[in-house]
Amino acid sequence: MSLKKDGYMVILSSPSGAGKTTLVKLLSERKKFQISISHTTRKPRPKELNKKDYYFVNDHEFKRLIGNEEFLEYAKVFNHLYGTTRTPVINNLQNGQNVIFDIDWQGADQIKNKKLDYKLITFFLLPPSRDILFKRLSNRDMKDKLIADERMKEFNRDVLHWINYDYVIINDELEKCYSKISNLIDAEINNGPKEYDKEFIREHIEKLIS
Ligand code: ADP
Ligand code: 5GP
């Protein structure tokens, strides 16, 4: 198998509400990356579509897929199960398509530990501030403010995983954030120079959790 022709795997993780889904969609539209569509046992949000946003399945079906060893990775997140099935991902990579994943740190760890024969680039997104994160979560989950509260509670714990990612990016202005991610992916693929200030990120994390 020639590594050169295979696609790249790009993982985006973040505390809930920092903007993964939004950026994954942009990367897929503009860079023609294939989105890895996960399975989940959570209920669809308004406007979410089965087989497009997720494969929405019940516990029984999810456990059947675990039993059949169909998942590349899976994890429990906010009391629901989420997982990535292996076959569509590997097929896309072998066809030279880049695949982008919106998965949490547990899934990112599992994929990293598998040491697959495909190049992996991992990004962790951060909000500009806790206040802005809360506003974004509240806007998105308007029907249920409890969801925003519950997800904010996980923030301090989630954010600690930044250290395990290749790049950490602040999602302030969407277009700027998109460009940073896109440029870093291009630099990784073409072995070009990478603009990235880890110290600035470390200071931002300290502000977010203080
Ligand atoms: P995640 O997938 O990380 O949980 P989403 O992509 O669903 O986050 O984003 C949460 C909410 O914030 C959505 O309503 C989205 O439209 C909004 N959003 C995302 N990025 C930005 C941004 N840079 N500026 C303003 N709003 C944003
Ligand atoms: P949401 O319910 O907001 O769509 O997603 C909740 C969390 O689950 C997010 O952190 C998202 O990245 C993560 N997630 C979505 N799909 C998967 C998956 O297939 N595997 C793992 N491990 N996490 C996922």
Side-chain angles (χ1 to χ4, degrees):
M1 187 196 305
S2 153
L3 275 181
K4 241 188 176 173
K5 284 195 186 146
D6 292 336
Y8 277 61
M9 297 191 288
V10 176
I11 294 180
L12 256 68
S13 302
S14 77
S16 185
K20 290 175 302 288
T21 312
T22 309
L23 282 149
V24 160
K25 283 188 181 151
L26 278 186
L27 286 160
S28 135
E29 283 160 19
R30 297 181 185 175
K31 292 177 91 68
K32 305 283 172 252
F33 279 25
Q34 295 294 317
I35 299 178
S36 165
I37 303 173
S38 298
H39 283 66
T40 183
T41 59
R42 93 152 154 70
K43 298 276 171 279
R45 296 190 183 114
K47 294 196 186 151
E48 278 185 332
L49 297 174
N50 189 34
K51 302 185 184 175
K52 185 169 172 286
D53 297 291
Y54 279 105
Y55 294 96
F56 294 99
V57 295
N58 59 25
D59 262 40
H60 183 266
E61 173 61 5
F62 200 99
K63 283 176 185 152
R64 189 189 68 79
L65 293 168
I66 296 176
N68 281 359
E69 297 187 359
E70 293 200 29
F71 286 119
L72 188 58
E73 63 75 32
Y74 68 92
K76 195 168 206 179
V77 191
F78 303 117
N79 282 326
H80 296 291
L81 291 162
Y82 293 80
T84 307
T85 45
R86 181 193 318 266
T87 308
V89 171
I90 301 297
N91 285 347
N92 275 319
L93 293 169
Q94 287 182 345
N95 285 331
Q97 300 274 342
N98 298 320
V99 180
I100 185 146
F101 303 78
D102 169 346
I103 61 176
D104 83 330
W105 62 269
Q106 303 173 83
D109 273 0
Q110 288 176 44
I111 290 185
K112 243 162 90 173
N113 290 337
K114 289 230 153 93
K115 300 202 189 323
L116 301 171
D117 276 343
Y118 306 95
K119 179 99 168 74
L120 172 66
I121 314 169
T122 61
F123 290 92
F124 194 79
L125 299 177
L126 292 173
S129 69
R130 294 176 74 99
D131 282 356
I132 291 177
L133 179 65
F134 185 69
K135 281 189 194 125
R136 288 183 188 167
L137 278 170
S138 308
N139 281 340
R140 188 186 66 187
D141 298 314
M142 265 201 285
K143 278 215 176 126
D144 195 347
K145 293 280 176 209
L146 278 178
I147 292 182
D149 286 336
E150 177 200 288
R151 294 190 166 200
M152 283 304 290
K153 277 190 203 139
E154 301 287 330
F155 176 79
N156 274 14
R157 241 179 299 158
D158 282 348
V159 94
L160 297 178
H161 298 282
W162 73 279
I163 198 78
N164 295 324
Y165 286 75
D166 297 325
Y167 300 106
V168 182
I169 313 285
I170 300 168
N171 178 17
D172 193 347
E173 280 175 48
L174 188 61
E175 285 302 328
K176 278 195 189 154
C177 180
Y178 171 81
S179 295
K180 280 186 193 160
I181 295 174
S182 173
N183 291 343
L184 284 165
I185 293 173
D186 291 346
E188 285 279 353
I189 292 177
N190 303 316
N191 230 345
K194 293 142 197 113
E195 257 184 60
Y196 181 61
D197 184 350
K198 198 165 180 179
E199 262 326 290
F200 177 73
I201 292 296
R202 198 182 288 278
E203 284 162 24
H204 186 70
I205 300 265
E206 274 166 23
K207 275 188 243 152
L208 283 174
I209 60 177
S210 63

